[in-house]
Amino acid sequence: MTRFDRQSFLGSGSEARLDEATIGLVGLGGGGSHMARQFAHIGIGGYVAADPDAIEDTNTNRLVGGTLRDAAAARAKTKIARRMIRGLQPHARIVTVCDTWQHATEQLKTCDIIMGAVDGFAEREQLERFARRYLIPYIDIGMDVHDLGKDGFLISGQIIVSTPGSLCLRCCGLITDERLKEEAGKYGAAGSRPQVVWPNGVLASTAVGLAVQLLTPWHPHPPAFTFLEYDGNSGTVSVSAHVEALKGRICPHHPPDETGDPFFDIRKHLEGIEQRPASLWRRALRAAKAWFDGIFGSRSTQTV
Amino acid sequence: MKIGFKIAAALLATVRIDLRRPHPCAHERVGFISAGLSAVGDDVLILARSYRPVLDQDYLRDPSVGAMMGPEALRKALQWAMQTGAALFHVHTHGGRGLPDFSSVDLRGARRCRSKRWRRESTAARHTFIERFTQVGAPIVTWRAA
């Protein structure tokens, strides 16, 4: 018996597959902390978690794993996530970056999936563009509370799965130039937005389910693109009406020729490796290889 | 240095379908995948961009191998790489699944190309074995070197 026996329906080899996988978690607040905990529950082995903030009193209404003591100590959200993951996955490969995700790009580019739980449209667009550049599926969640005046409040949200080659956040209409412009105009004066724990939970749980679909064979035909909308007032998650309208469309926003580092030069990369002073054991290995090659002849086919 | 190769599932399907098409004289088809590269520490990540088949008329008749590219095929491929700044990978298939590898003919061809001139002009061109091959789609499928 292992602690994963109850999820064996995910498919043969799924436990190893989940353990091998590395998930990028960008934003460890209300949504991201939920996802971190759930990924640890299902046995994800690798994490790259980035968030620049420390927990505050006002976060404790929704940040899963955070305690009042953490808030009093102004503990970094990355530390809370690490502690929470370690509690379930003691041997997990965890990289935490207590800074903006732009300081974690080297680690994020090695991820199998990136989960975005960030505020703001510009942030989302940059993160999705980064994920596309490195051919990484990006799953975005977001929620908002709208004041409807005398009709009260509306809680809404969305979950979008954006895989390379499929439709993106712009295709869905989530990112628009108008929204980016409006957001840029509010820079520094956005104030704190209303957030509560249960919509974050619904969105995070759904997103984790979609990520597991991408990683394990339990679902016979997982979609490469998903756009789900959450209506917190009626308590429903449903496929967005945009999906039908977007059928057959090809994403024009992320051309495939954008993959890779823009100025990468393999010659410089190889030179850098070769010119680096080798460690003692590596030098010994090279000397042994030269001696071996001198006696038996070198192995062929290294340079074309 | 370890090499990882990532390709979108739709692009990989396109490549596989194209390479299965019969050719008027060759036994198999060949094509080129363009890619961007990225450093991950000392390792390199190859990120596929697009695919172009070798045109029918750019094959040479050579019964000793499954397919032989003519000089025009190579010229077009090099021009494509230079114009776009992309890395290029020559691909063909004998069927099967899993981690791509070189056939004995590939390796023989590589030895033939080891002229000083080629080495001087293309110091980066090497036969390097892929350690990890990932098909990015739904689901994500990864093959690793044993």
Side-chain angles (χ1 to χ4, degrees):
Chain A
M1 287 279 281
T2 74
R3 77 180 188 89
F4 302 113
D5 272 8
R6 302 286 285 270
Q7 60 185 48
S8 58
F9 76 95
L10 294 176
S12 96
S14 60
E15 194 176 320
R17 178 74 193 99
L18 293 169
D19 185 55
E20 285 165 3
T22 300
I23 300 289
L25 292 163
V26 178
L28 294 166
S33 61
H34 258 292
M35 292 195 284
R37 164 150 271 174
Q38 293 194 30
F39 280 126
H41 274 297
I42 63 163
I44 290 291
Y47 302 81
V48 176
D51 194 304
D53 296 331
I55 187 171
E56 296 171 9
D57 263 345
T58 55
N59 301 140
T60 56
N61 74 325
R62 65 190 186 281
L63 196 145
V64 172
T67 63
L68 297 178
R69 191 178 286 183
D70 290 327
R75 209 174 307 284
K77 291 178 182 176
T78 48
K79 280 194 175 173
I80 296 169
R82 178 187 285 271
R83 182 182 68 202
M84 195 164 60
I85 294 164
R86 281 264 180 264
L88 289 156
Q89 291 282 90
H91 306 295
R93 309 173 301 280
I94 307 172
V95 176
T96 52
V97 177
C98 186
D99 207 329
T100 57
W101 67 267
Q102 287 88 347
H103 289 87
T105 53
E106 284 306 302
Q107 294 86 359
L108 283 170
K109 69 166 94 156
T110 65
C111 291
D112 293 285
I113 300 174
I114 294 176
M115 313 296 291
V118 295
D119 294 328
F121 297 110
E123 196 82 6
R124 284 191 162 80
E125 183 171 53
Q126 289 167 22
L127 192 52
E128 184 186 40
R129 196 162 286 284
F130 172 83
R132 293 272 175 146
R133 180 171 289 285
Y134 297 102
L135 295 181
I136 302 168
Y138 172 65
I139 302 181
D140 182 88
I141 65 168
M143 69 155 285
D144 224 336
V145 179
H146 307 274
D147 187 349
L148 302 178
K150 62 179 175 21
D151 292 327
F153 293 90
L154 168 68
I155 299 174
S156 68
Q158 84 288 329
I159 307 124
I160 299 176
V161 177
S162 159
T163 53
S166 71
L167 299 170
C168 70
L169 304 187
R170 264 190 188 268
C171 295
C172 295
L174 183 75
I175 308 281
T176 63
D177 289 342
E178 292 71 31
R179 279 183 167 170
L180 291 173
K181 201 174 160 187
E182 189 186 347
E183 187 177 87
K186 284 182 187 168
Y187 182 75
S192 57
R193 294 159 61 193
Q195 292 273 326
V196 277
V197 68
W198 74 92
N200 281 322
V202 173
L203 296 166
S205 298
T206 309
V208 168
L210 291 165
V212 174
Q213 278 186 11
L214 293 180
L215 292 170
T216 64
W218 80 270
H219 193 291
H221 305 293
F225 163 72
T226 307
F227 180 9
L228 301 174
E229 287 175 336
Y230 172 63
D231 180 337
N233 291 35
S234 62
T236 56
V237 176
S238 49
V239 176
S240 167
H242 283 76
V243 172
E244 192 57 37
L246 289 168
K247 251 186 189 158
R249 285 262 305 268
I250 293 169
C251 173
H253 307 110
H254 299 277
D257 60 2
E258 287 182 351
T259 66
D261 296 338
F263 304 110
F264 181 84
D265 186 328
I266 186 72
R267 286 160 292 204
K268 287 180 186 160
H269 182 74
L270 293 172
E271 272 173 30
I273 294 171
E274 283 161 12
Q275 284 171 5
R276 197 178 309 143
S279 60
L280 189 64
W281 71 267
R282 199 176 283 273
R283 273 181 281 168
L285 203 66
R286 273 191 203 156
K289 186 178 180 301
W291 175 78
F292 186 84
D293 287 349
I295 294 174
F296 300 106
S298 68
R299 277 184 64 201
S300 57
T301 69
Q302 275 307 302
T303 307
V304 178
Chain B
M1 181 178 73
K2 290 180 180 168
I3 307 283
F5 194 108
K6 292 178 87 173
I7 184 167
L11 178 58
L12 184 59
T14 303
V15 174
R16 283 187 170 140
I17 289 167
D18 183 75
L19 292 176
R20 282 192 202 116
R21 284 187 301 133
H23 185 273
C25 62
H27 292 295
E28 59 185 277
R29 281 195 175 269
V30 289
F32 288 93
I33 293 175
S34 76
L37 304 181
S38 176
V40 181
D42 283 353
D43 301 340
V44 171
L45 200 52
I46 299 165
L47 301 147
R49 293 178 176 174
S50 55
Y51 169 76
R52 283 188 192 174
V54 168
L55 299 179
D56 282 3
Q57 61 269 28
D58 292 341
Y59 286 74
L60 295 179
R61 280 184 186 275
D62 185 342
S64 69
V65 290
M68 176 66 80
M69 282 185 288
E72 192 59 11
L74 284 171
R75 188 195 64 73
K76 286 174 184 168
L78 288 171
Q79 191 172 355
W80 186 28
M82 284 180 69
Q83 282 174 342
T84 58
L88 276 199
F89 296 84
H90 158 226
V91 288
H92 66 121
T93 182
H94 300 162
R97 288 166 63 80
L99 206 64
D101 208 344
F102 300 109
S103 68
S104 59
V105 174
D106 295 333
L107 295 171
R108 207 165 62 222
R111 281 197 291 274
R112 214 183 304 156
C113 288
R114 291 176 73 193
S115 71
K116 278 184 184 169
R117 182 170 172 274
W118 179 272
R119 272 211 300 266
R120 192 175 64 242
E121 293 183 0
S122 183
T123 53
R126 292 178 179 214
H127 259 153
T128 309
F129 293 88
I130 292 168
E131 299 262 340
R132 183 183 155 115
F133 184 88
T134 306
Q135 173 191 307
V136 182
I140 300 164
V141 183
T142 300
W143 292 277
R144 286 182 173 78

